[in-house]
Amino acid sequence: MAEMAWTWRLEAPDGAALAAPSVPAHASQSDAESWLGEHWRDLAEAGVAQTSLLDGDRLVYGPMPLALD
């Protein structure tokens, strides 16, 4: 059985996936959540409106807004 990669799908306000900025894959949900906790402000400043957590192709949760206010 292949190990799944935990990734964040970065989204525009309408839910469309954004190709940039790039996001690394993580070995665990905890690693992915820690990474987002460290980088969400930079992502929001780069125009990312919301994000969803994926385990491979499976949606785990989201979308979550990345609001700076």
Side-chain angles (χ1 to χ4, degrees):
M1 182 162 120
E3 184 175 319
M4 292 305 211
W6 293 84
T7 56
W8 291 102
R9 180 176 62 215
L10 306 180
E11 302 169 354
D14 66 359
L18 301 173
S22 64
V23 176
H26 303 277
S28 69
Q29 182 174 353
S30 176
D31 289 347
E33 290 169 340
S34 293
W35 181 88
L36 185 65
E38 295 171 9
H39 297 279
W40 74 268
R41 283 183 182 84
D42 294 334
L43 295 171
E45 289 173 357
V48 177
Q50 58 193 27
T51 187
S52 296
L53 182 62
L54 303 172
D55 180 11
D57 293 331
R58 180 179 67 89
L59 176 65
V60 178
Y61 60 79
M64 295 186 324
L66 298 181
L68 290 173
D69 28 37

